[in-house]
Amino acid sequence: MEKRIKLLVANDSAEFNRDYGRIFEESGMEIVYTQKDGMKLLEKIESIHPDVVLADLFMPRLDGIGVMKAIQSKVAGMRPMFVIISNFTSPTLEREVMMSGASYFAISPFNAADLSDRIIQLCSISGIIPKTSARSQAPATEEPSLEIQVTEVLHQIGVPAHIKGYHYLRDSIIMAIETPDIINAVTKQLYPNVAKRYETTASRVERAIRHAIEVAWDRGDVDILNSYFGYTIHNTRGKPTNSEFIAMISDRLRLHMKTAS
């Protein structure tokens, strides 16, 4: 029997159930509802251990960021994946939400079917459900989005999602796929472009990416690293530079996209 995704929704209104909950259930997920209240949500997470939590950023008593931070310190074992929704956003707010532990940030009103597909894809990437189960739960769709493909590679390699360099790497790889020549101007174009998105500096982007690669090299699976980087994992070469890492991943995904098309 295939595993069903247990989705905890912090919204028990009849309107939400009618407009969104039914579609989540039809996609094959097991839905549990709780009040739109941060403290109640925290208690429910600790009692039922859901796979995914769908919650508003702004809730009474404790907001979504507060819930995620509390879970990081209180709940032992596997923590749930968080999908945070909000009817207001800004680059600063989105950055804070993602760096607090969210796997996805959705703007309300959202398309429930699209969000359902994204949740299933993210659960497959993180190993909550096997890929075969993801294919059976999600309707047949086109090739996963570029963002999803890059995210999957970073998870496989072992870059932790909660560190700044993870988000900088993801954007850098996407830029390199969309504009291959930018890899020849990493310092002058790529870092400054990423820095602008996150309201930081190019030097901080460079350092954060270097740290993310170091973490992956220390903690990642050697076989997976070897499959992506080959000779660069040997002691004589050490870990790849930032530009090598971005170039290798972007080139591999670009070739995959050409083959799939």
Side-chain angles (χ1 to χ4, degrees), residues 102-116:
S103 294
Y104 192 70
F105 186 47
I107 307 303
S108 183
F110 53 84
N111 183 295
D114 289 345
L115 185 58
S116 175

Side-chain angles (χ1 to χ4, degrees), residues 209-228:
I209 288 177
R210 178 158 28 94
H211 172 67
I213 294 172
E214 289 171 353
V215 171
W217 232 247
D218 290 339
R219 305 179 186 177
D221 185 295
V222 172
D223 291 334
I224 292 176
L225 291 172
N226 187 53
S227 71
Y228 278 100

Side-chain angles (χ1 to χ4, degrees), residues 11 14 16 41 43 45 52 57 86 95 110 122 138 160 163-164 168-169 171 174 190-191 201 205 208 218 228 242 247:
N11 196 318
F16 187 96
L41 174 59
E43 292 174 2
I45 293 171
V52 184
L57 174 59
S86 173
R95 182 174 69 251
F110 53 84
L122 289 170
I163 62 177
K164 292 180 180 180
Y168 300 161
L169 261 176
D171 283 10
I174 291 173
L190 193 147
Y191 292 156
T201 64
V205 169
D218 290 339
Y228 278 100
N242 290 7

